[in-house]
Amino acid sequence: MIRDLTPSDVDQLIELGHVMSAETGFVGFRMHEPRARFILSEILCLDTVFAKGVFQGDTLVSVFIGEAADHAFMDVRFASDLFIYAHPDHRGGISMARLSKLFNIWAKDQGADYCKLEISARIDNDRATKFFQRVGYTDVGSLLMKEVA
């Protein structure tokens, strides 16, 4: 079942965040749980935030959170992801495609001109990129990162 996420889901979002954190290319960094709880509790009620989860029974297994915002310098509005993740045991189905479609519908309702996603968690980025290309996204650039020395 797909439904809106609310502040009552923060505990499960934190649990899923721990699973994601252990799987990413950033495993040396621990989750800052108080900050994550605060941010999630604040944003889940905002009209400019898309927050939906896939539940199996009462258990959250996939999440798609995004926001809509105007560009700082141009007259263009973007709907951007903040957090997309599917538990490893729940990948490969149609749920993420459904979440992506719902995000696009929501983005249109928000007056967005474009949806944009950042795929950078280092959890099989190639597979994630191919999936989102299959549901209509185009690779338009690169995300470059450098460790601060």
Side-chain angles (χ1 to χ4, degrees), residues 4-76:
D4 290 336
L5 296 170
T6 68
S8 66
D9 297 311
V10 169
D11 287 341
Q12 288 200 67
L13 283 163
I14 295 295
E15 285 180 40
L16 201 57
H18 280 296
V19 175
M20 184 193 82
S21 294
E23 190 179 8
T24 71
F26 302 99
V27 292
F29 297 92
R30 67 175 182 78
M31 178 191 287
H32 192 290
E33 211 172 294
R35 180 175 50 230
R37 284 182 183 284
F38 174 77
I39 291 170
L40 289 166
S41 296
E42 291 293 312
I43 69 171
L44 290 179
C45 298
L46 299 176
D47 290 338
T48 56
V49 171
F50 173 88
K52 295 208 182 283
V54 176
F55 290 81
Q56 285 205 334
D58 293 331
T59 304
L60 179 64
V61 297
S62 299
V63 61
F64 195 129
I65 300 175
E67 67 176 343
D70 294 323
H71 190 276
F73 299 107
M74 296 182 290
D75 190 18
V76 63

Side-chain angles (χ1 to χ4, degrees), residues 130-146:
K130 288 175 185 170
F131 166 77
F132 283 108
Q133 287 173 332
R134 282 194 308 275
V135 296
Y137 287 83
T138 302
D139 188 345
V140 295
S142 298
L143 174 69
L144 305 175
M145 191 162 44
K146 178 182 175 185

Side-chain angles (χ1 to χ4, degrees), residues 96-137:
M96 195 56 70
R98 288 181 177 159
L99 288 174
S100 178
K101 183 176 182 177
L102 291 170
F103 180 65
N104 193 65
I105 292 167
W106 174 86
K108 185 175 181 179
D109 291 343
Q110 290 289 313
D113 299 291
Y114 295 96
C115 291
K116 64 179 184 171
L117 307 178
E118 177 184 320
I119 299 172
S120 61
R122 302 182 201 164
I123 304 172
D124 203 348
N125 287 359
D126 290 339
R127 180 179 179 194
T129 299
K130 288 175 185 170
F131 166 77
F132 283 108
Q133 287 173 332
R134 282 194 308 275
V135 296
Y137 287 83

